[in-house]
Amino acid sequence: MKKVLFFLIIISSVSVFSQDEKFLVISRNTDYVQLDDTTNVRIMGYTRTLSAPSKIPGPLLVFTEGDSVEIDLWNVSQGAPHTIHLHGLDVNQANDGVPMLSFDVAHMDHGFYRFKAPEPGTYIYHCHVTSSVHVQAGMYGMVVVRPKYPELTWEGGYEITVDNQIITSEVDVDWHHDSIIEHDHTATALHQVKVPVYDPTFFLANGYGFNSVTDKAIEISTGNNNLLRLANIGNYGNKFIFPQSVKATIISSDGRRLPAEYIADSLIILPGERFQILLNSSQLGNDSMAIKYFSLNTQLVEGVQNYPIIVDVIESIEDKMISSTFSIYPNPATSQVNFDFKNELPNEVEIADINGRTIHTIRKDSIQKTTTFITSNLMRGEYLIKCVYNAKVVTLPLIIE
Ligand SMILES: [Cu+2]
């Protein structure tokens, strides 16, 4: 009974308002990555800070539905101009990152992309300057637009426990020589970069190849809906084969929910496509999902990976979000209780009875990282502790014994 009540309280009390989200993104062409613990290749890539090296793929960009997003893209590549194209996102042309239609960013310059985060779902971003070369060089990553209610796939959608993301790609090391990464970037030369016939030898999931993927895993929770976001930014097709221990239900494609979801044991994802899948498993254990990379010219499979899946008992996203916001101890309490705020102090804390009526308010000037509250004059029973932040209210139950 308590569990059900607790769940209802949380859902009804987490309110979210639209807000501004600012992202700094740096583009560079001076970094190297080691593929599969064996081969160093030079890349072009994105990173979130000046000091962090760029990697393959670029950082995951997470927006919240309805928020006003501003991406400040800097180019410190000492080479060609770059952009961020938001593949599949409904943004206007001026902010779409296609050089001729919006703008590109030259070395030691920067530019802003501004938009309201649209439909929740799974998207891709990549550079749109000489796309085939800059994308192969490493300029790509996944975009997640989270719904306003983070425990759902979309408003009124599936309740999910965990959220996993995999973006696939390939690397042809011959496309990563200095002469290509430093290609001529005068306006006329830009689109005439000489590259060899594409013949990839590394097939990557989240940047991990056949050897290095073994110590990575999708972690899912037994008995719950687990979201898996898949995107393919390579030039090859992917065939995903889901293990029998996990029921895979395909629920959305290219950022839009499917009119009818379907259960599948495999799924083909072509370059640029994205899918959202629910994984369900009733048994704890380890398994793996096969990813086959096939040439679109020959249809032949040239790479295979086994991406590990661990089925475990995992606390829900909602629980994680709340436990990362604040905790209450001891709980149950007798004469006093401590509220421990993790990253941010709330504007106020309300102690409410079980019907939600506020019986005491702790004002901001009395709130510290660890705030002690005397409970000796509260009657025994259940109470609600509401922490009021600028953009949300987070509530936890407190029991007085
Ligand atoms: Cu670029």
Side-chain angles (χ1 to χ4, degrees):
M1 177 60 200
K2 240 170 214 161
K3 251 191 173 161
V4 174
L5 179 69
F6 175 64
F7 174 73
L8 290 175
I9 289 164
I10 298 313
I11 295 306
S12 62
S13 63
V14 176
S15 57
V16 181
F17 304 102
S18 169
Q19 52 184 341
D20 293 337
E21 298 183 78
K22 291 184 194 298
F23 293 82
L24 174 67
V25 177
I26 315 286
S27 56
R28 274 211 296 259
N29 71 350
T30 45
D31 293 317
Y32 289 81
V33 294
Q34 192 175 46
L35 297 172
D36 240 358
D37 306 326
T38 57
T39 307
N40 265 318
V41 291
R42 188 164 162 196
I43 61 165
M44 299 182 186
Y46 298 107
T47 176
R48 294 291 306 279
T49 63
L50 266 174
S51 54
S54 54
K55 289 181 182 160
I56 288 181
L60 178 73
L61 296 181
V62 182
F63 312 138
T64 301
E65 177 188 7
D67 281 3
S68 297
V69 179
E70 180 185 272
I71 301 174
D72 184 7
L73 174 68
W74 278 87
N75 180 348
V76 290
S77 75
Q78 300 171 4
H82 299 298
T83 70
I84 290 182
H85 169 62
L86 298 154
H87 180 89
L89 233 72
D90 287 332
V91 302
N92 65 14
Q93 213 165 58
N95 290 288
D96 198 31
V98 178
M100 305 300 175
L101 303 173
S102 60
F103 61 92
D104 56 25
V105 178
H107 176 49
M108 286 319 284
D109 202 352
H110 76 132
F112 292 104
Y113 298 90
R114 294 187 177 103
F115 53 91
K116 215 170 207 29
E119 189 97 359
T122 304
Y123 305 90
I124 296 172
Y125 68 96
H126 65 83
C127 181
H128 216 296
V129 174
T130 324
S131 315
S132 55
V133 175
H134 287 217
V135 171
Q136 168 59 204
M139 303 197 78
Y140 53 81
M142 186 184 274
V143 172
V144 167
V145 179
R146 293 186 80 190
K148 280 179 243 168
Y149 301 93
E151 70 282 3
L152 300 176
T153 49
W154 49 74
E155 200 169 345
Y158 300 91
E159 191 185 312
I160 53 166
T161 301
V162 294
D163 189 331
N164 282 285
Q165 310 92 26
I166 295 180
I167 183 165
T168 55
S169 56
E170 314 97 33
V171 165
D172 176 343
V173 294
D174 290 335
W175 284 48
H176 290 253
H177 290 157
D178 292 351
S179 61
I180 295 173
I181 301 294
E182 290 165 10
H183 68 79
D184 196 355
H185 54 275
T186 58
T188 46
L190 254 186
H191 304 288
Q192 299 166 11
V193 185
K194 283 218 165 49
V195 288
V197 173
Y198 189 60
D199 185 18
T201 47
F202 288 95
F203 300 91
L204 306 176
N206 287 344
Y208 302 110
F210 181 80
N211 296 323
S212 51
V213 79
T214 51
D215 60 346
K216 307 295 151 194
I218 303 165
E219 284 186 61
I220 66 172
S221 170
T222 177
N224 296 301
N225 285 326
N226 301 275
L227 185 62
L228 174 61
R229 302 171 187 270
L230 298 176
N232 177 4
I233 183 65
N235 294 310
Y236 275 39
N238 302 150
K239 184 173 186 181
F240 288 81
I241 298 167
F242 306 111
Q244 284 194 337
S245 62
V246 172
K247 186 182 84 178
T249 308
I250 318 300
I251 58 166
S252 91
S253 153
D254 293 345
R256 297 292 178 271
R257 64 196 81 164
L258 292 171
E261 77 276 19
Y262 61 97
I263 295 169
D265 52 18
S266 68
L267 175 67
I268 287 179
I269 306 188
L270 297 173
E273 290 187 327
R274 296 92 55 207
F275 283 86
Q276 292 186 170
I277 296 119
L278 292 183
L279 300 180
N280 291 82
S281 183
S282 55
Q283 295 166 350
L284 297 175
N286 296 349
D287 214 323
S288 66
M289 173 177 73
I291 312 172
K292 297 184 175 182
Y293 298 76
F294 60 92
S295 159
L296 295 176
N297 294 327
T298 63
Q299 302 296 311
L300 292 176
V301 172
E302 294 184 19
V304 180
Q305 258 185 329
N306 291 303
Y307 208 104
I309 297 180
I310 298 172
V311 185
D312 208 343
V313 181
I314 301 176
E315 59 178 344
S316 71
I317 288 182
E318 195 63 40
D319 290 345
K320 267 189 202 162
M321 192 178 91
I322 287 165
S323 64
S324 68
T325 307
F326 81 107
S327 61
I328 298 176
Y329 62 93
N331 191 8
T334 48
S335 57
Q336 67 175 51
V337 66
N338 301 297
F339 307 130
D340 195 5
F341 303 104
K342 304 292 162 70
N343 297 314
E344 184 189 353
L345 298 183
N347 296 328
E348 64 178 38
V349 177
E350 293 173 18
I351 291 91
D353 67 18
I354 198 65
N355 298 314
R357 277 188 294 262
T358 303
I359 50 181
H360 187 83
T361 301
I362 307 174
R363 302 282 171 207
K364 188 158 190 143
D365 50 11
S366 312
I367 298 172
Q368 295 165 324
K369 195 177 177 311
T370 300
T371 302
T372 302
F373 178 67
I374 305 298
T375 53
S376 48
N377 52 4
L378 290 181
M379 286 192 299
R380 286 173 61 181
E382 259 187 85
Y383 294 84
L384 302 175
I385 308 303
K386 296 191 203 174
C387 292
V388 182
Y389 294 87
N390 290 334
K392 65 185 178 200
V393 179
V394 180
T395 306
L396 281 181
L398 166 67
I399 294 164
I400 303 292
E401 280 185 344

